[in-house]
Amino acid sequence: MRNHEVTKEQKLLNYKGEIKEAGWARKPVWRYNREEIKAPKFRIKEWDYYIVIHDGKKDGTESFAAAFTISDDGYVGLQSVSLINLDEECPAEHTETLINFLPMGRLSFPKASYQGHVGYNDSRLKMRFYKNIENRQIKCRFNDFVDGKLLEASIKLQEPEMESVNILTPWKSKGSFYLNQKLNCLRASGGIRIDGKYYRFNPEYDFATLDWGRGVWTYDNTWYWGNGNTVIDGHTVGFNIGYGFGDTTKATENALIIDGVVHKIDDVDFGIPGDKSLKNMKAPDYMSEWKMTSSDGRFEMSFKPIFDRSAKLDYLFVVSDQHQVFGRMNGFAVTDKGETLEFNDVLCFAEKVHNRY
């Protein structure tokens, strides 16, 4: 059954180390336990990733975004911070990534997104993600982030009780799976300081999304992911779209999140100009207008790029080619009740990423 909804809380894996019930859920229902995974430790991937966006059109300031990653990908860990200036006349970004070899569980990630903290600490980077009762916090101190300058971040994210997009998908490879939660609509306050400049988030209209991932991945994968949050006619609205995360026969992550309630939608095609192949990263014209369409006609958007945050890492066995494109979304989405929401210049991102790791 396509888009099989799982409602019963259950163990993630059976005694063979295989997932018990693939599908999607409105809350974290699968109990993850790293110790029950049968695959080698170097194949287990765990990460917490936050993306926070400020839309300067709301208050006459410059637009910007920031991304924070703590990850343990088995034989390599990638700890990363990005600061992206989304000035439409002169966009720019800077990303610093620290690579750790063979972490294999030493970062002690929580078993669930709703409990515990996770952090990374060395002489250059101190970063920690906190989970409290009603909010989350991002704390970061990055020495020599760019040109010897210190980056400091202290961001508070409001987390009211709400639904989220959760998926559990397998790959054809035995023992491989992907458990993921996208937690949208986290109102952001606080900010980032670097070189005497302060980048401030306003909780009235600025939001973050958490990408919480655990699993055993195959080596070579390409995925598409898009996400954004806004306020439309007084309603808090988020969206999450994507594909390429294993076998999505039982579940996709395509959904609207409106006032804390998930509205599931069917397959979405990103409509990247010139994008003819899942593995072809060079042919697409990422900076021309994308035409996003859904198979059920409930997500029809024009995405106008502002900036392609492209990056390529090549460390022999670890290769990453990514195009995270920030831009503005215009179009409409339809709720489960048949109501139409108009998207007008919603600042968001959509990406295509090819990884071998």
Side-chain angles (χ1 to χ4, degrees):
M1 178 181 176
R2 184 69 163 171
N3 281 324
H4 169 60
E5 183 175 359
V6 180
T7 58
K8 181 181 178 181
E9 293 192 15
Q10 58 189 274
K11 291 183 66 173
L12 176 72
L13 304 173
N14 62 22
Y15 72 97
K16 294 181 180 180
E18 300 169 343
I19 64 174
K20 295 184 67 175
E21 186 176 8
W24 75 277
R26 300 174 184 273
K27 63 179 182 179
V29 296
W30 295 281
R31 295 194 296 272
Y32 172 83
N33 187 343
R34 180 187 179 95
E35 296 176 358
E36 296 176 351
I37 297 175
K38 303 299 183 183
K41 290 182 179 180
F42 65 82
R43 290 189 58 205
I44 301 173
K45 303 187 187 304
E46 301 177 322
W47 70 81
D48 285 18
Y49 170 88
Y50 286 94
I51 177 78
V52 197
I53 297 178
H54 168 72
D55 187 352
K57 281 191 174 182
K58 305 293 186 180
D59 61 4
T61 61
E62 63 182 2
S63 298
F64 66 91
F68 304 87
T69 305
I70 300 177
S71 75
D72 177 345
D73 296 320
Y75 49 81
V76 67
L78 302 173
Q79 322 311 328
S80 181
V81 175
S82 298
L83 182 60
I84 307 108
N85 183 335
L86 295 173
D87 178 353
E88 298 188 22
E89 298 297 323
C90 189
E93 70 92 27
H94 187 78
T95 297
E96 286 292 320
T97 301
L98 303 185
I99 298 176
N100 327 118
F101 291 100
L102 302 175
M104 294 197 296
R106 288 199 299 270
L107 292 179
S108 300
F109 278 86
K111 295 179 180 180
S113 64
Y114 51 81
Q115 64 185 27
H117 316 306
V118 64
Y120 176 83
N121 189 353
D122 68 14
S123 60
R124 189 174 173 205
L125 172 62
K126 293 177 175 59
M127 184 158 60
R128 193 159 182 83
F129 303 155
Y130 296 90
K131 173 66 180 83
N132 303 310
I133 295 176
E134 295 181 348
N135 62 68
R136 296 172 182 267
Q137 286 185 300
I138 300 169
K139 296 281 190 179
C140 178
R141 181 181 175 90
F142 208 133
N143 291 310
D144 190 18
F145 179 72
V146 57
D147 297 332
K149 299 179 178 67
L150 169 68
L151 178 144
E152 293 180 294
S154 180
I155 303 168
K156 184 177 179 180
L157 307 175
Q158 298 175 25
E159 185 183 359
E161 185 173 344
M162 59 182 172
E163 297 178 351
S164 57
V165 182
N166 302 263
I167 62 168
L168 175 60
T169 57
W171 272 270
K172 293 181 179 179
S173 176
K174 187 177 180 180
S176 297
F177 68 90
Y178 179 45
L179 174 65
N180 181 251
Q181 179 187 29
K182 298 297 196 314
L183 183 56
N184 279 65
C185 302
L186 301 168
R187 290 184 181 268
S189 59
I192 302 165
R193 189 180 304 278
I194 183 171
D195 194 27
K197 183 173 182 178
Y198 190 64
Y199 295 83
R200 185 183 303 278
F201 294 105
N202 189 322
E204 290 186 18
Y205 43 76
D206 291 342
F207 296 90
T209 293
L210 167 64
D211 172 17
W212 185 93
R214 307 289 188 268
V216 177
W217 284 53
T218 51
Y219 175 65
D220 193 333
N221 291 281
T222 299
W223 72 71
Y224 298 74
W225 177 35
N227 190 284
N229 304 287
T230 189
V231 177
I232 300 176
D233 297 331
H235 299 284
T236 302
V237 178
F239 73 88
N240 188 82
I241 53 177
Y243 48 100
F245 311 103
D247 179 3
T248 56
T249 303
K250 295 289 182 69
T252 70
E253 62 171 17
N254 302 318
L256 307 170
I257 305 91
I258 305 168
D259 293 332
V261 177
V262 169
H263 298 244
K264 198 72 175 65
I265 56 180
D266 285 342
D267 295 333
V268 176
D269 184 275
F270 278 37
I272 306 173
D275 188 20
K276 304 297 183 182
S277 168
L278 196 66
K279 296 290 181 68
N280 191 347
M281 302 297 291
K282 295 182 179 179
D285 180 3
Y286 292 103
M287 289 305 293
S288 291
E289 185 175 341
W290 305 14
K291 293 293 186 180
M292 295 183 172
T293 59
S294 62
S295 57
D296 57 5
R298 292 177 54 194
F299 193 84
E300 304 294 315
M301 299 289 175
S302 166
F303 177 67
K304 296 182 179 179
I306 296 171
F307 183 67
D308 177 9
R309 192 180 76 85
S310 60
K312 188 166 185 177
L313 298 175
D314 191 344
Y315 295 97
L316 296 178
F317 296 108
V318 179
V319 178
S320 178
D321 190 357
Q322 57 182 284
H323 291 266
Q324 184 181 42
V325 182
F326 291 84
R328 293 193 177 272
M329 194 87 81
N330 289 275
F332 69 89
V334 180
T335 72
D336 287 345
K337 296 180 180 180
E339 300 167 337
T340 299
L341 296 173
E342 298 288 341
F343 281 56
N344 295 304
D345 274 354
V346 175
L347 187 61
C348 57
F349 75 90
E351 68 182 28
K352 181 179 181 181
V353 176
H354 178 209
N355 278 342
R356 286 187 289 150
Y357 67 114

